[in-house]
Amino acid sequence: MADETTIEKDKVVTINYKLTDDGGQVLDSSEGREPLTYIHGGGLIPGMEQALEGRAIGEEFQVTIPPEQGYGQKDPNMVQAVPRTNFGGIAQIEPGMQFQARTPDGARVVTVVDVAPDTVTVDANHPLAGVTLHFDVSVVGVRDASPEELAHGHVHGSGGVQH
Ligand code: ZN
């Protein structure tokens, strides 16, 4: 029988983490915020779930995750020039700005990469697509998910949805 505090499918897992890129620059971190809580078995990127599988509370580790196991490679088809008129009402558009775009797949954050007089080129790839991810992780909580949490597909209570 599996240990109650070992990470496996349908456990509610709480971790602290720090994400850096190849150059050691910090891209994201739970430091100074709530730790990350999720339901194991599809809640995180595949490389991270794999690294966490079988771990227990108190374990600390480092893992390097290639883009294929992270946010995927950049898709060149997701970089598109759109008419500037789509940005009606916005006086100043500059590279690096981010907008919510409506797409057939729902709302998506796009990043402006180039601005021409009549068109704006936007990149709809995930900001971490194509990036090799270096994580420092510590496991701070493992518990069974309730039947209700499994039915809803998200965590309730601390670190989760309040309803
Ligand atoms: Zn719910």
Side-chain angles (χ1 to χ4, degrees):
M1 213 178 110
D3 188 324
E4 262 187 16
T5 58
T6 298
I7 297 173
E8 59 184 10
K9 186 165 167 36
D10 295 342
K11 292 287 188 184
V12 173
V13 181
T14 302
I15 59 170
N16 279 308
Y17 68 94
K18 187 175 77 173
L19 167 63
T20 52
D21 63 13
D22 282 332
Q25 194 189 340
V26 177
L27 303 175
D28 191 14
S29 171
S30 61
E31 202 181 305
R33 289 193 279 147
E34 290 279 297
L36 174 67
T37 298
Y38 75 100
I39 299 176
H40 195 73
L44 300 181
I45 54 172
M48 182 58 99
E49 293 238 347
Q50 231 169 61
L52 282 159
E53 182 83 28
R55 303 267 184 185
I57 292 176
E59 281 198 58
E60 294 182 18
F61 63 95
Q62 294 181 311
V63 60
T64 297
I65 299 174
E68 302 74 51
Q69 293 293 310
Y71 293 94
Q73 295 290 355
K74 270 192 189 294
D75 178 356
N77 294 321
M78 289 177 77
V79 180
Q80 286 188 333
V82 297
R84 191 166 180 140
T85 50
N86 286 17
F87 296 83
I90 300 162
Q92 189 87 10
I93 302 171
E94 288 172 352
M97 289 174 83
Q98 293 189 318
F99 295 93
Q100 286 272 1
R102 283 185 298 272
T103 75
D105 302 326
R108 185 180 267 285
V109 174
V110 301
T111 305
V112 174
V113 290
D114 195 37
V115 182
D118 297 326
T119 58
V120 176
T121 304
V122 294
D123 185 348
N125 283 291
H126 190 282
L128 293 174
V131 177
T132 297
L133 310 165
H134 302 267
F135 280 99
D136 280 273
V137 182
S138 65
V139 180
V140 294
V142 182
R143 65 168 171 84
D144 287 324
S146 70
E148 197 184 22
E149 286 175 322
L150 292 176
H152 289 196
H154 56 228
V155 177
H156 290 161
S158 178
V161 178
Q162 319 283 339
H163 69 160

